[in-house]
Amino acid sequence: MAVFAQPGAGARFDWGLSGAAELGRVCSALVVVDVLSFTTAVEVAVSRGMRVHPFPWGEQAADYARRVGAVAAVGRRKTTPEHPWSLSPAALRTAPVVADLVLPSPNGSAISAAASATGVPVVAACLRNAPAVGRWLRAQGYGSTDAPVGVVAAGERWPDGSLRPGVEDQLGAASVLDALSGVPGGLSVEAAMALAALASTPDVPAAVRGCVSGRELIEGGFARDVDVAVEVGVSEVVPVLRQGYFAAA
């Protein structure tokens, strides 16, 4: 149904792969938000000059990396001194810079890879660069009813594969929507309600550290990844997915 695309609004909001598919049919640009940790990792890598290729989670990522002449990131616990590239933003801060990095993940990366098929610009946003992403979108003319932008919170997955909405991604998406407030087309009801979560959160870093996803990483020994992710508004880098990889706009 057309109503699911939130018609008439300049900035729209939805969740997960299905939400991205719905908004991708009608929006002129898509923003993917996966704070812990895909889009934060993308921002870190792109800020260091790497091109980041999104890819769904799975063993095929290494084969794809070989085909495109890239380095394939591995799981956080599978890194070695010789292969330090992973989904960990903290690790990517210090890993050697490579020209091309395949960065698989089950949520943000899979959504980005699928969204690239729409042909519209796909932007990777996180808490670190949300204001810059909003400013770039407005400067490019997105946010009108004729050129709407869709903001997609990736969320996590339950063991059965169903979507588990994540506090961190809602706050990240809301930070982008906050930067889009006042666009000519206005916010959809869904976008306005997502934004309300930000207004009612006085300490965003504390909320991300205390939410389920943040606690999972901290208790698993990856507190530094959360520390990187909650550095709010520190980056001017806007990674845009074109020709199969994210690079700075």
Side-chain angles (χ1 to χ4, degrees), residues 188-216:
S188 69
V189 171
E190 288 75 12
M193 294 303 293
L195 180 56
L198 183 65
S200 63
T201 306
D203 190 336
V204 169
V208 174
R209 287 189 173 97
C211 74
V212 169
S213 299
R215 291 168 59 189
E216 180 184 23

Side-chain angles (χ1 to χ4, degrees), residues 7-242:
R12 310 174 189 188
F13 170 77
D14 217 316
W15 283 94
L17 190 61
S18 296
E22 189 66 31
L23 294 183
R25 295 189 304 102
V26 294
C27 288
S28 298
L30 289 175
V31 180
V32 177
V33 182
D34 185 354
V35 169
L36 297 174
S37 298
F38 174 72
T39 53
T40 298
V42 171
E43 184 278 325
V44 169
V46 169
S47 72
R48 301 187 66 208
M50 298 185 236
R51 294 186 292 261
V52 178
H53 300 247
F55 198 83
W57 193 254
E59 297 299 325
Q60 296 85 359
D63 293 335
Y64 174 75
R66 283 191 288 271
R67 291 201 304 272
V68 299
V71 170
V74 296
R76 282 181 172 89
R77 299 189 185 280
K78 294 184 177 180
T79 58
T80 65
E82 297 73 31
H83 198 103
W85 302 276
S86 77
L87 193 59
S88 162
L92 289 177
R93 272 185 159 177
T94 58
V97 172
V98 294
D100 291 272
L101 179 69
V102 173
L103 190 62
S105 88
N107 301 303
S109 191
I111 292 168
S112 298
S116 67
T118 64
V120 304
V122 179
V123 183
C126 57
L127 290 169
R128 296 172 57 83
N129 70 347
V133 167
R135 288 192 295 270
W136 182 83
L137 289 165
R138 296 177 73 134
Q140 299 299 309
Y142 298 115
S144 68
T145 53
D146 292 331
V149 56
V151 180
V152 180
E156 302 288 346
R157 294 199 177 272
W158 290 108
D160 67 359
S162 60
L163 175 71
R164 176 173 68 78
V167 167
E168 72 284 1
D169 292 341
Q170 183 166 359
L171 291 172
S175 297
V176 176
L177 292 165
D178 185 46
L180 292 172
S181 294
V183 292
L187 304 183
S188 69
V189 171
E190 288 75 12
M193 294 303 293
L195 180 56
L198 183 65
S200 63
T201 306
D203 190 336
V204 169
V208 174
R209 287 189 173 97
C211 74
V212 169
S213 299
R215 291 168 59 189
E216 180 184 23
L217 281 176
I218 292 168
E219 293 172 11
F222 297 99
R224 289 176 59 233
D225 286 344
V226 183
D227 291 340
V228 174
V230 299
E231 293 177 337
V232 178
V234 299
S235 175
E236 292 296 316
V237 174
V238 179
V240 181
L241 177 60
R242 297 191 179 98

